[in-house]
Each structure stands twice: as structure tokens, then as C-alpha cells.
Amino acid sequence: MANNVNSCLQVVEISPEGQKVWDGYVVERLCEDSNLAYYIANNLETVTMSDMCEQIGAKWAFANDCDDDHVIIESAWSPVGEWAEMVAKAIGEVDPDVRLKLTYEDEMPNFIGVATFNAEGYVAHSDLDWDEIKELVIKGNSELEAMYDEEEGEWYPDKEDDAEDLFRDCMWDEINCWQEENTEWEDE
């Protein structure tokens, strides 16, 4: 079963000139057709899975929502980092101070991450795999810590259901906090 990855490319800093590029290059283009393959070619029959992976970052990718300060993308297996870099560089041609942030997570989540981009492209990247996510969530909640047998690497037998419910209740808040805290810029 393929894992879908949800990515959100957010505008952090942009000039009025850069906003015009974002509006045309991202919003208007993706409103017309949400398939990111059109950034590679006008004829989808000529776009290969390899092209998509190399130039967009995933074997397929579609925009689900876009606005003047963000776009949400669903893709296969990987985030759309190469595409985000393409967008940042296009805006960077008119806005040397542009800053974009890409947050992403796969549907399980097996992994999460955050990457930053400026006018020159990629700046920094941080990610966590499932084991690291689990540790992050458990260590961030004393109630969960009390239900987790660290030596065995699993919930205590009589706490499994409660622990899973609580874990799922707090997981996304912890993930969002982690993504915010791990956003890095080269000049900071």
C-alpha cells in the first residue's frame, strides 16, 4: 500500500513583487490544474515517474488547497521538496528575501519533517522517523510516560487502550510543535 504524504508549503516572508510571482506561479497555476506534473511538461504523457521524483520530489503530487500564503500538496511516498525549491527560486528572481517553509508528514505517520527555502533554494531540513516521533510524544506527556514500559519498548499490558487513545490525542499537537521548533534559517 502506497503511503500518501501531506505537505504544506507556507510563505514566511515575501515582498509585493514576490507575492505576484507566488500568485501566478503557484495559486493561479494550481487552481487551473492541481497536478504538479504540469511544472515539468504541458503533456502529461511525456512525464515519467523518474521525472516526477527528480524534479518534484514524489512520483505523483496534487494540490488540494492553495491561497496567497500556502499550498497543501498530497504526494506519493515523499514530500515535494524539489518543487518547493523550484518555487522559492522562481520567487527569488524578484525577491531576494523570500522565505518559504515546507512541513510534511506521511499518513501513518512513518515520518515527519520541516524544510526551509530562500531565494537561492534549499536552506535547512529536519526530520523524524516513527520511533523518534513515538519518543517525542511520550516524553512530552508525563501521563503517557507512566503507561510506557521503556525497557520493553511497549505500553504496559493493562494500559494499552488508554495509552493508544491518549497518544493519538496528543500526537499531532506534538508534531506541529516539533515542526515549528525545528524550523531553521541559515542566518539565525
Side-chain angles (χ1 to χ4, degrees), residues 148-166:
Y148 188 70
D149 184 342
E150 196 166 336
E151 193 172 297
E152 295 295 323
E154 56 190 42
W155 306 117
Y156 287 115
D158 60 333
K159 303 291 184 188
E160 293 169 337
D161 291 339
D162 291 341
E164 277 301 318
D165 288 345
L166 181 58

Side-chain angles (χ1 to χ4, degrees), residues 17-184:
E17 296 81 15
Q19 186 68 51
K20 289 177 187 172
V21 174
W22 171 273
D23 291 344
Y25 194 71
V26 176
V27 178
E28 291 172 19
R29 195 168 186 175
L30 292 176
C31 285
E32 184 153 327
D33 194 309
S34 66
N35 192 335
L36 272 66
Y38 283 113
Y39 281 87
I40 298 173
N42 290 329
N43 181 353
L44 294 184
E45 292 178 14
T46 65
V47 178
T48 67
M49 190 179 350
S50 179
D51 293 335
M52 286 295 293
C53 290
E54 289 173 19
Q55 297 179 51
I56 302 298
K59 68 181 184 177
W60 57 258
F62 294 89
N64 291 328
D65 179 36
C66 56
D67 205 343
D68 63 348
D69 66 351
H70 74 277
V71 60
I72 297 173
I73 307 287
E74 184 176 1
S75 59
W77 295 102
S78 304
V80 291
E82 286 76 359
W83 177 78
E85 183 170 44
M86 181 190 313
V87 171
K89 287 179 176 180
I91 296 169
E93 291 178 16
V94 299
D95 182 358
D97 298 321
V98 65
R99 286 182 171 198
L100 304 178
K101 175 171 77 169
L102 181 72
T103 56
Y104 60 88
E105 52 277 335
D106 106 316
E107 63 190 335
M108 300 306 284
N110 291 314
F111 59 85
I112 62 169
V114 59
T116 52
F117 303 86
N118 65 17
E120 296 173 15
Y122 170 80
V123 175
H125 175 255
S126 294
D127 61 14
L128 296 178
D129 65 21
W130 171 247
D131 291 334
E132 294 166 317
I133 295 166
K134 188 174 179 181
E135 181 180 334
L136 171 76
V137 175
I138 292 170
K139 298 274 187 222
N141 186 298
S142 59
E143 195 175 345
L144 282 174
E145 281 188 276
M147 293 188 255
Y148 188 70
D149 184 342
E150 196 166 336
E151 193 172 297
E152 295 295 323
E154 56 190 42
W155 306 117
Y156 287 115
D158 60 333
K159 303 291 184 188
E160 293 169 337
D161 291 339
D162 291 341
E164 277 301 318
D165 288 345
L166 181 58
F167 183 87
R168 295 288 171 195
D169 285 347
C170 20
M171 180 178 66
W172 290 110
D173 286 340
E174 288 292 332
I175 287 172
N176 291 334
C177 288
W178 180 89
Q179 287 171 324
E180 191 62 37
E181 291 168 2
N182 286 277
T183 300
E184 298 177 35

